């Protein structure tokens, strides 16, 4: 897996029809690919807060697997070899997303053996963009759907002339609605299903749900009114 | 005897992950082919086991007994989860634990107590992995001699093997196929003691471990 230290060029990928299950586009680092027919797990095989039991149907990606993958991604990011990475969240909120927090933890515990310390990872919200000039920027996202929001945000960030910009997303949906953009670092490539987990849900619900789950029919109706999350 | 709660069944067709998708100790990377069950998933299973144990054995003092094959990782993780549940629930379950470093032979309980303290108690035998069930069977008879009130067995992994001598644990985290997998608790020459994912072995690894091909648990 290679990377350039210069500014990342957006590599155009033709918007595709639904990608075959198991495919990984060649322009980014490998990810765990979750196939369209992944059955997930029974709810009673995991600890689920009981107040969600009737809203959820299956556990799709268990929390522990997410943590393991995040740890690996964070290490890959560290291996970029730059110090003083600015981690940027694509939202104007102080609410830290779990993935960023996990990056922090790994950064602390990671013995990066180079004579440069990795320094700090500073986290800024979407309103701190002017501070990015000349910096190494990592945009961190939990879930990428069509890629439209990320593409827009990326152009915005690049206007501030950072030294380098990379994008990491824990989950990336395989969807025909994709604009074709693919992040540099992907945790899991997932089917185009409606999933919930804390921090993926802007309604502030499910905040204590650590597994990525598929909702049951009762919940879909509740969420329909709020609109589909599309980034 | 059936398990008291459902366990995750991992089949032969379960996807395996490339090593470079996870953090794997560098020194053993050539012995490994794929990640089979990631450490985090094992922890999720441990958490669930802890909950099942609490629900089933609750209300009395429980003595947890562990004779691990290698290290105390699962035992410690399980006890941590139980302590966490104790902290957060209105039901407190006092638990004493004993863990032995010998993997075979007589069980000597650390701390100087002997097994007579098990009389009248609820005992939970904790194993990392059960293969044929020989160790567990030995432990069970030994414990039963001391007239506990009740004995149950919890194991994080259970191998589906025709060589099993039959007794199925009461609590199982993951049932796995009878494949040659490696893990810190399935390490035959102490080289993989810090491998916390269950992995499928590579050809290179197989050659190294050939003489140790059968686990004796």
């Amino acid at each position: 897996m290679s990377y350039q230290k210069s500014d990342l060029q957006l590599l155009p990928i033709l918007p595709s029809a639904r990608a075959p299950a198991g495919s990984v586009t060649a322009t980014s680092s490998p990810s765990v690919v979750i196939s369209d027919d992944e059955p997930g797990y029974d709810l009673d095989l995991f600890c689920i807060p009981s107040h969600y039991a009737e809203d959820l149907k299956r556990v799709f990606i268990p929390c522990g697997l997410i943590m393991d993958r995040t740890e690996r991604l964070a290490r890959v990011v560290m291996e970029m070899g730059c110090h003083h990475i600015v981690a940027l969240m694509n939202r104007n909120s102080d609410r830290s997303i779990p993935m960023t927090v996990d990056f922090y933890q790994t950064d602390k515990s990671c013995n990066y053996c180079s004579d440069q310390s990795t320094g700090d990872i500073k986290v800024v919200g979407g309103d701190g963009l002017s501070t990015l000039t000349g910096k190494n920027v990592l945009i961190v996202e939990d879930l990428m759907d069509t890629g439209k929001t990320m593409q827009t945000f990326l152009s915005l960030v690049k206007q501030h002339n950072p030294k380098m910009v990379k994008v990491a997303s824990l989950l990336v949906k395989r969807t025909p609605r994709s604009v074709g953009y693919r992040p540099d670092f992907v945790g899991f490539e997932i089917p185009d299903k409606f999933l919930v987990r804390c921090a993926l849900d802007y309604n502030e619900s499910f905040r204590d749900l650590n597994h990525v789950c598929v909702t049951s029919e009762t919940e879909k109706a509740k969420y329909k009114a709020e609109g589909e999350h599309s980034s | 005897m059936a398990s008291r709660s459902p366990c995750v069944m991992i089949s032969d067709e379960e996807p395996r992950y490339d090593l470079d998708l996870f953090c794997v100790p560098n020194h053993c990377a050539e012995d490994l082919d794929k990640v089979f069950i990631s450490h985090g998933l094992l922890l999720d299973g441990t958490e669930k086991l802890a909950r099942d144990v609490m629900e089933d054995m609750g209300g009395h003092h429980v003595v947890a007994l562990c004779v691990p094959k290698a290290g105390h990782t699962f035992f410690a993780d399980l006890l941590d989860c139980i302590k966490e549940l104790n902290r957060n629930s209105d039901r407190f379950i006092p638990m004493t634990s004993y863990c032995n470093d010998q993997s075979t032979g007589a069980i000597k309980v650390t701390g100087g107590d002997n097994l007579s303290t098990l009389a009248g108690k609820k005992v939970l035998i904790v194993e990392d992995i059960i293969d044929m069930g020989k160790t567990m069977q030995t432990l069970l008879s030994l414990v039963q001699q001391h007239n506990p009130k009740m004995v149950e067995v919890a194991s994080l992994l259970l191998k589906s093997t025709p060589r099993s001598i039959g007794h199925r644990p009461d609590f199982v985290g993951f049932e796995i196929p009878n494949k040659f997998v490696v893990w810190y608790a399935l390490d035959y020459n102490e080289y993989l003691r810090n491998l916390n994912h269950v992995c499928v072995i590579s050809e290179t690894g197989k050659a190294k471990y050939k003489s140790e091909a059968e686990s004796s648990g």
Side-chain angles (χ1 to χ4, degrees):
Chain A
M1 155 200 13
S2 68
Y3 54 86
Q4 287 88 40
K5 289 200 172 176
S6 56
D7 277 357
L8 174 72
Q9 302 297 313
L10 270 187
L11 295 167
I13 304 167
L14 291 173
S16 56
R18 180 180 222 111
S23 69
V24 174
T25 50
T27 50
S28 65
S29 57
S31 72
V32 173
V33 178
I34 307 227
S35 71
D36 287 346
D37 48 17
E38 167 64 41
Y41 303 92
D42 241 78
L43 293 182
D44 61 3
L45 295 174
F46 291 89
C47 287
I48 309 273
S50 49
H51 44 275
Y52 296 136
E54 64 166 32
D55 296 335
L56 303 174
K57 202 162 82 171
R58 306 283 286 174
V59 170
F60 200 61
I61 313 177
C63 166
L65 189 57
I66 295 171
M67 298 299 297
D68 283 339
R69 186 67 191 129
T70 303
E71 185 188 19
R72 178 70 180 116
L73 278 187
R75 222 153 263 234
V76 167
V77 167
M78 294 306 147
E79 283 162 9
M80 277 162 60
C82 5
H83 48 167
H84 302 304
I85 297 172
V86 178
L88 187 61
M89 294 180 297
N90 180 17
R91 62 200 72 185
N92 291 320
S93 155
D94 288 330
R95 183 165 60 102
S96 61
I97 57 180
M99 193 186 180
T100 317
V101 172
D102 296 336
F103 266 43
Y104 263 130
Q105 312 288 23
T106 306
D107 176 45
K108 283 185 199 139
S109 62
C110 179
N111 278 325
Y112 186 74
C113 29
S114 127
D115 51 12
Q116 297 172 342
S117 74
T118 47
D120 39 40
I121 288 190
K122 223 175 76 161
V123 180
V124 303
D127 50 358
L129 296 187
S130 52
T131 61
L132 298 181
T133 309
K135 299 274 168 54
N136 299 309
V137 177
L138 176 71
I139 301 175
V140 182
E141 184 62 82
D142 264 25
L143 168 66
M144 214 179 78
D145 191 343
T146 60
K148 192 157 153 241
T149 311
M150 182 53 72
Q151 214 172 36
T152 311
F153 188 61
L154 195 50
S155 321
L156 192 61
V157 167
K158 282 162 79 76
Q159 283 170 30
H160 294 269
N161 299 308
K163 189 168 168 193
M164 174 173 84
V165 188
K166 299 275 182 186
V167 179
S169 184
L170 180 64
L171 307 175
V172 173
K173 275 195 182 175
R174 264 193 311 278
T175 168
R177 299 170 295 119
S178 165
V179 299
Y181 173 74
R182 176 113 180 160
D184 304 275
F185 308 107
V186 177
F188 300 85
E189 185 189 292
I190 60 175
D192 194 5
K193 274 187 184 138
F194 190 68
L195 301 172
V196 292
R197 183 197 167 205
C198 67
L200 290 186
D201 178 359
Y202 293 140
N203 294 342
E204 310 280 320
S205 308
F206 296 111
R207 296 202 66 181
D208 50 343
L209 179 65
N210 293 322
H211 311 292
V212 175
C213 296
V214 179
T215 52
S216 63
E217 291 304 319
T218 56
E219 262 313 297
K220 272 194 193 148
K222 215 193 268 180
Y223 284 92
K224 213 168 171 181
E226 312 285 343
E228 187 98 358
H229 164 49
S230 66
S231 61
Chain B
M1 186 204 301
S3 295
R4 286 174 191 282
S5 55
C7 79
V8 179
M9 305 289 296
I10 309 257
S11 71
D12 264 339
E13 286 81 41
E14 190 77 12
R16 290 105 197 263
Y17 305 103
D18 284 340
L19 295 182
D20 66 355
L21 293 175
F22 292 94
C23 289
V24 172
N26 284 330
H27 65 268
C28 50
E30 66 163 20
D31 293 340
L32 308 174
D33 185 31
K34 301 277 186 189
V35 172
F36 194 49
I37 311 176
S38 79
H39 173 239
L41 185 54
L42 293 174
L43 285 180
D44 285 339
T46 303
E47 188 187 23
K48 179 65 167 74
L49 277 183
R51 189 163 286 202
D52 291 343
V53 164
M54 292 284 273
E55 277 177 16
D56 196 70
M57 299 184 96
H60 296 86
H61 192 130
V62 174
V63 178
L65 198 60
C66 167
V67 181
K69 298 191 178 47
H72 312 121
T73 308
F74 169 55
F75 190 52
D77 288 341
L78 185 67
L79 291 190
D80 280 346
C81 288
I82 289 176
K83 274 184 217 154
E84 188 66 32
L85 289 171
N86 266 336
R87 266 199 288 274
N88 296 328
S89 92
D90 49 10
R91 230 170 33 158
F92 176 76
I93 294 170
M95 189 174 257
T96 320
S97 59
Y98 299 118
C99 197
N100 191 11
D101 282 321
Q102 292 175 346
S103 57
T104 56
I107 297 172
K108 266 209 304 252
V109 169
T110 59
D113 295 344
N114 58 38
L115 290 181
S116 59
T117 59
L118 300 181
K121 300 267 169 48
K122 284 193 178 183
V123 178
L124 177 71
I125 296 174
V126 179
E127 292 243 39
D128 312 276
I129 177 162
I130 291 176
D131 187 343
M132 289 184 292
K134 273 201 311 221
T135 311
M136 189 182 67
Q137 204 74 333
T138 311
L139 263 176
L140 265 175
S141 348
L142 193 61
V143 166
Q144 239 119 19
Q145 286 168 31
H146 296 273
N147 301 308
K149 183 179 175 138
M150 159 184 176
V151 190
E152 296 198 313
V153 181
S155 184
L156 185 60
L157 301 186
L158 174 70
K159 266 202 181 176
S160 320
T161 166
R163 295 173 304 129
S164 163
I165 57 181
H167 185 101
R168 193 185 165 88
D170 303 272
F171 307 99
V172 177
F174 303 84
E175 188 169 331
I176 63 175
N178 190 20
K179 282 276 187 253
F180 198 49
V181 290
V182 286
W183 188 37
Y184 78 88
L186 287 172
D187 164 31
Y188 303 109
N189 65 0
E190 315 217 354
Y191 192 55
L192 299 174
R193 285 295 156 96
N194 59 346
L195 179 65
N196 54 16
H197 306 295
V198 178
C199 294
V200 177
I201 203 168
S202 67
E203 290 304 318
T204 318
K206 266 188 200 162
K208 270 189 202 161
Y209 294 101
K210 212 170 175 180
S211 60
E212 325 267 1
E214 304 295 301
S215 81
S216 59

